[in-house]
């Protein structure tokens, strides 16, 4: 059976290719890395941009930081196959340099469309590059691990900003903090579910 969400996500990919978004990155890249995982996920994780392994395989977070991410998800009781993972920039920047502001801006509308299709309960930003679009002018060191409900299109969305696994991989303190923050995610969803239930009950009385 054709899945409507799958069709819409394929359309987003086709639009990026047809509109030739970030042609300089596209020319150097092996793959457009759209995302991977469960399209009905409660959690969407958003990284920065594909690295070498991701570019080669066409999948997000499959290199060293991906392995660390897998370990943290597992430790938090979350299956990787239950979440959806993507990046703000969907082509690998040369030599893994930081994505440029214009590259992030060019891909942002497509990320918004992906979230509109998937409709997750929470969006987990990994690192400042994806955080700054949802929570501009905030410092990750001050708000990491804290759920923030923000306006998003016609409705609202809960964003949980976390450190980037690559930054935390070899930094003991940040690593512990990131693991602790991952361990909060299921609790945050539980609270959102309770709130939604309470609002629905109120609406029905
Ligand atoms: N780092 C990211 O931000 N994204 C990936 O897909 C891989 C590494």
């Amino acid at each position: 059976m054709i899945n409507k969400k799958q069709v819409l996500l394929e359309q987003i990919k086709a639009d990026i290719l047809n509109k030739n978004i970030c042609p300089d990155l596209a020319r150097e890249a092996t793959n457009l890395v759209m995302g991977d995982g469960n399209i009905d996920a409660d959690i969407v994780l958003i990284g920065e941009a594909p690295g070498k392994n991701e570019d080669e395989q066409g999948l997000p977070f499959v290199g060293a930081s991906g392995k660390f991410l897998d370990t943290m998800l597992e430790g938090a009781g979350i299956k990787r196959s239950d979440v959806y993972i993507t990046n703000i920039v969907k082509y690998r920047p040369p030599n893994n340099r930081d994505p440029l502001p214009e590259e992030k801006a060019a891909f942002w509308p497509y990320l918004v469309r992906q979230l509109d299709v998937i409709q997750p309960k929470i969006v987990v930003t990994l690192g400042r590059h994806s955080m700054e679009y949802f929570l501009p002018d905030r410092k990750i060191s001050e708000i990491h691990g804290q759920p923030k409900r923000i306006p998003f299109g016609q409705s609202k969305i809960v964003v949980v900003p976390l450190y980037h696994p690559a930054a935390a991989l070899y930094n003991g303190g940040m690593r512990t903090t990131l693991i602790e923050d991952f361990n909060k995610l299921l609790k945050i969803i539980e609270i959102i579910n309770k709130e939604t239930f309470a609002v629905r009950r109120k609406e029905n009385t």
Side-chain angles (χ1 to χ4, degrees), residues 47-51 54 60-61 65 87 164:
E48 182 179 316
E54 289 76 20
F61 283 98
S65 42
N87 285 299
H164 194 287

Side-chain angles (χ1 to χ4, degrees), residues 27 32 59 61 63 70-71 87 96 99 115 130 138 151 161 164:
R27 205 173 306 115
L32 172 64
L59 293 168
F61 283 98
D70 290 351
T71 313
N87 285 299
N96 296 344
L115 295 175
S130 56
R138 304 299 300 267
H164 194 287

Side-chain angles (χ1 to χ4, degrees), residues 154-172:
Q154 301 304 310
S155 63
K156 294 203 163 186
I157 198 164
V158 176
V159 178
V160 186
L162 300 190
Y163 286 120
H164 194 287
L169 196 51
Y170 303 111
N171 175 326

Side-chain angles (χ1 to χ4, degrees), residues 44-148:
V44 170
L45 297 138
I46 306 173
E48 182 179 316
K52 188 171 184 289
N53 294 291
E54 289 76 20
D55 178 52
E56 281 167 8
Q57 296 183 41
L59 293 168
F61 283 98
V62 288
S65 42
K67 294 222 165 56
F68 182 35
L69 177 63
D70 290 351
T71 313
M72 287 186 291
L73 285 171
E74 201 185 326
I78 301 167
K79 285 199 198 123
R80 178 163 170 144
S81 56
D82 283 346
V83 302
Y84 190 86
I85 307 179
T86 186
N87 285 299
I88 180 153
V89 168
K90 290 167 172 47
Y91 287 121
R92 180 191 182 204
N95 302 316
N96 296 344
R97 65 153 167 74
D98 279 356
L100 303 174
E102 56 268 33
E103 292 164 351
K104 290 182 269 182
F107 276 109
W108 170 248
Y110 300 95
L111 177 60
V112 171
R113 281 174 60 188
Q114 284 180 300
L115 295 175
D116 263 350
V117 171
I118 298 172
Q119 295 277 325
K121 294 208 165 117
I122 59 171
V123 167
V124 175
T125 57
L126 300 170
R128 65 184 170 86
H129 289 287
S130 56
M131 183 194 83
E132 70 188 10
Y133 265 83
F134 295 92
L135 300 161
D137 304 322
R138 304 299 300 267
K139 276 203 178 135
I140 194 161
S141 56
E142 287 167 7
I143 60 166
H144 66 84
Q146 299 170 20
K148 304 283 176 198

